[in-house]
């Protein structure tokens, strides 16, 4: 009897208490985090009005706040990145969904992708022209089709059949993007006549993306874009390509990219960062820096990435003067920025 | 005077001779190699007639011979893989170009990609329906457009504008593929009525690919496919996706994949193998085995890859019962096979 009492007092109680504490601390220690981007580019800070800066920062803060509430309440990272990207797609400020850039024919063609780090399932669409939220179409492809990637009219039809909102192509129109398109056409015409014209860096920017780590420890990533002004019809950039503009794995990290897509495809930017973390043992920051400020810079390739690793480390790396970006995490850190200097 | 003579005899001569030998041996030691595949799948050896086996082996031997002659005479690996893949596209035996499988609408949609390991340039097309040789269209996108990937009608138009042969969609028709399509439709109908139907493994197979290392030490890879029978219109598999079904880098290796495309996309198969070689220091064989017989097998994902590393090591790894495959190299090794047992 005494032995049993002794056993309970000296051994069982401490074990139970220790167990509770360990489990409790583990639960408390599981961090959550959300990072977003709204594109990168070489922009002169003077060229952006205070009003427009405020609009960008306000919209990013809004998206982050929605995502933070969801994560805090235990939402899945997949739902969070889809919701947050939808907010940016719905805003004409960004080159994704409403406000997308125009292709060489003066039309909007929308690309998006989403990936779940827990299952490694992925969905992707390219060349949409009538689905309001391309990121949701990517998710439908992931969850409701036997495929990973659908393109063109069939992608539109598939998304519509699966209950997504269809809009007239005119819905995506934005005057600023149209003016950029007209400038692109004029510049191309003048270049063909031998005139030197200014670099068109900012015509390539504006892609949006989000990466989240949830309370279950699951990472998800989503990217959505209108591509680049003056692109050929049917051109696919890195955004809808798994491993190029988007990747997520609980084993390594989640990444969403923005920049000159062709270079991001050739360099497999998103998966290359994950592979360096996984196989080379680099930190997420080291890996992202070597790819964005090393490899890509050597190739004169502009752009950046946002990423989160399985421990909740948030990274935002770009080799341009600006990347619209922001993050929140469970330690209470939060913020949104545009230029490098800040 | 004597000192100078001594210097020439004892030092300069040996150095020059040693130099000649070293350079000579280096040139002689630069190996060349070519490996091809014509798809993988779980096939019962009994189900393939001797005549058809001979046809496959004969066509692969023909392709290898053409490639060998080119490599021996100093042709660039990029030209070799394009030429060799064209030979297989032109044969109705393989699911690429003529003889491609039919999508759910009973149409052929062709995908292809090509990548240069020296420059890391890449080109890709998806959803072609009128260009005779999709691999050449991918190369035109790489060399004549500012983009890496074009899809759908615009990809057809771009290739035609750049001088490639356009054919009536009926050109791609093959009776065996059409019968497979009809069987697929019947099976889908019966499955919808609750009947159990046989697995359709071999409906997914037949993709072609080639990887070459040339006398300059440059690696190139190309992949071409009709996709899988009954695929959705606009579906993109791994074949045209850089890093998934195709990758080439002089720094690591060249890879062409074949198999259940959706899994090859999620796992970034081609680039994952290269990344393991580059970052983990694995041999090409170890890397390919871990991905194909490890990762993919765990996911019940069928398929295989062919690959060559910068030292000319040739690897052909598959987790199915069969992969149409063959290779030649500068050591005089050569052969073509279908089943595993051989």
């Amino acid at each position: 009897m005494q032995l049993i009492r002794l056993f309970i007092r000296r051994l069982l109680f401490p074990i139970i208490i220790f167990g509770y504490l360990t489990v409790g601390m583990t639960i408390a220690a599981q961090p959550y985090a959300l990072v977003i981007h709204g594109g990168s580019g070489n922009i002169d800070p003077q060229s952006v009005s205070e009003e427009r800066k405020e609009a960008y920062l306000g919209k990013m803060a809004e998206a982050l706040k929605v995502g933070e509430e969801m994560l805090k309440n235990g939402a899945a990272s997949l739902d969070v990145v889809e919701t947050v990207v939808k907010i940016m797609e719905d805003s004409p400020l960004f080159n994704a969904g409403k406000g997308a850039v125009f292709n060489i024919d003066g039309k909007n063609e929308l690309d998006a992708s989403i990936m779940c780090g827990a299952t490694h399932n992925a969905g992707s669409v390219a060349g949409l022209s009538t689905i309001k939220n391309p990121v949701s179409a990517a998710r439908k492809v992931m969850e409701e089709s036997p495929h990973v990637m659908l393109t063109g009219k069939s992608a539109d039809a598939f998304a519509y059949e699966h209950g997504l909102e269809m809009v007239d192509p005119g819905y995506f129109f934005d005057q600023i993007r149209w003016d950029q398109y007209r400038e692109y056409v004029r510049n191309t015409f003048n270049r063909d006549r031998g005139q030197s014209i200014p670099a068109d860096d900012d015509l390539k920017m504006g892609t949006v993306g989000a990466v989240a780590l949830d309370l279950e420890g699951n990472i998800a990533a989503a990217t959505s874009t209108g591509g680049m002004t003056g692109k050929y019809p049917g051109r696919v950039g890195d955004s809808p390509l798994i491993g190029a503009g988007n990747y997520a794995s609980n084993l390594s990290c989640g990444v969403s990219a923005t920049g000159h897509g062709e270079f991001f495809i050739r360099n497999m930017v998103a998966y290359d960062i994950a592979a360096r973390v996984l196989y080379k043992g680099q930190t997420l920051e080291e890996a992202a820096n070597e790819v964005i400020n090393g490899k890509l810079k050597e190739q004169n390739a502009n752009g950046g990435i946002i990423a989160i690793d399985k421990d909740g480390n948030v990274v935002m790396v770009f080799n341009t003067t600006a990347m619209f970006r922001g993050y929140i995490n469970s330690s209470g850190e939060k913020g949104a920025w545009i230029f490098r200097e800040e």
Side-chain angles (χ1 to χ4, degrees), chain A:
Chain A
M1 209 53 205
Q2 199 138 22
L3 250 174
I4 294 177
R5 225 175 283 153
L6 202 73
F7 169 75
I8 290 176
R9 217 179 293 161
R10 290 275 166 91
L11 226 70
L12 205 57
F13 273 7
I15 285 174
I16 289 171
I17 287 166
F18 179 76
Y20 262 108
L21 281 174
T22 312
V23 171
M25 276 166 63
T26 309
I27 290 171
Q30 172 58 49
Y32 64 76
L34 168 67
V35 60
I36 62 173
H37 72 78
S40 65
N42 288 318
I43 332 170
D44 177 3
Q46 309 300 326
S47 71
V48 188
S49 70
E50 280 307 314
E51 199 187 339
R52 206 161 157 84
K53 272 183 215 166
E54 286 309 313
Y56 276 112
L57 294 171
K59 185 52 77 174
M60 289 196 286
E62 177 195 332
L64 287 169
K65 198 173 173 181
V66 170
E68 185 174 25
E69 279 305 309
M70 290 178 74
L71 284 170
K72 206 185 284 177
N73 292 313
S77 53
L78 209 52
D79 293 325
V80 173
V81 294
E82 183 189 355
T83 303
V84 162
V85 166
K86 274 171 79 173
I87 292 172
M88 291 190 283
E89 284 179 344
D90 292 345
S91 162
L93 292 169
F94 305 102
N95 172 20
K98 184 162 182 65
V101 299
F102 292 88
N103 73 9
I104 190 74
D105 289 345
K107 295 197 169 131
N108 302 119
E109 287 188 326
L110 308 155
D111 306 339
S113 62
I114 193 164
M115 185 158 187
C116 170
T119 60
H120 295 120
N121 281 342
S124 156
V125 287
L128 292 183
S129 55
T130 61
I131 296 298
K132 191 183 173 206
N133 289 109
V135 69
S136 300
R139 185 157 182 190
K140 288 288 180 194
V141 172
M142 174 170 90
E143 291 177 349
E144 313 275 343
S145 90
H147 300 312
V148 169
M149 184 170 190
L150 292 181
T151 58
K153 295 258 171 286
S154 342
D156 279 288
F158 176 84
Y160 178 59
E161 269 175 34
H162 285 81
L164 294 190
E165 187 177 350
M166 186 174 259
V167 292
D168 181 272
Y171 161 80
F172 299 108
F173 183 89
D174 176 66
Q175 189 63 45
I176 293 176
R177 298 300 183 190
W178 185 251
D179 291 342
Q180 286 177 345
Y181 168 65
R182 294 200 297 184
E183 192 189 336
Y184 172 87
V185 172
R186 190 167 51 239
N187 284 345
T188 305
F189 178 68
N190 287 338
R191 191 196 286 121
D192 290 348
R193 289 164 68 207
Q195 292 184 22
S196 103
I197 57 140
D200 54 357
D201 262 351
D202 58 333
L203 299 180
K204 285 165 192 154
M205 66 172 295
T207 297
V208 307
V211 183
L213 170 72
D214 64 26
L215 285 175
E216 304 278 328
N218 292 325
I219 299 174
T223 309
S224 180
T225 191
M228 55 200 268
T229 300
K231 69 181 178 181
Y232 289 21
R235 173 260 189 181
V236 176
D238 64 314
S239 304
L241 299 182
I242 304 304
N246 189 11
Y247 184 73
S249 170
N250 286 0
L251 304 174
S252 51
C253 58
V255 181
S256 173
T258 164
H260 195 155
E262 277 67 19
F263 289 93
F264 281 65
I265 300 174
R266 291 184 199 116
N267 291 283
M268 301 299 323
V269 166
Y271 189 68
D272 193 33
I273 291 170
R276 284 160 183 263
V277 169
L278 200 58
Y279 300 142
K280 238 181 154 178
Q282 289 188 317
T283 66
L284 183 56
E285 178 135 26
E286 283 167 357
N289 257 318
E290 278 194 17
V291 173
I292 301 297
N293 289 314
K295 253 168 120 174
L296 287 180
K297 217 167 182 176
E298 282 163 28
Q299 299 169 39
N300 289 317
N302 287 341
I305 60 99
I306 54 168
I308 298 179
D309 68 16
K310 55 186 163 51
D311 303 319
N313 295 306
V314 171
V315 159
M316 305 180 290
V317 178
F318 51 104
N319 62 24
T320 45
T321 59
M323 180 164 82
F324 298 96
R325 65 202 187 277
Y327 77 99
I328 60 95
N329 67 21
S330 45
S331 312
E333 296 169 24
K334 66 176 71 186
W337 305 268
I338 300 176
F339 297 101
R340 181 173 294 282
E341 296 76 25
E342 293 158 292

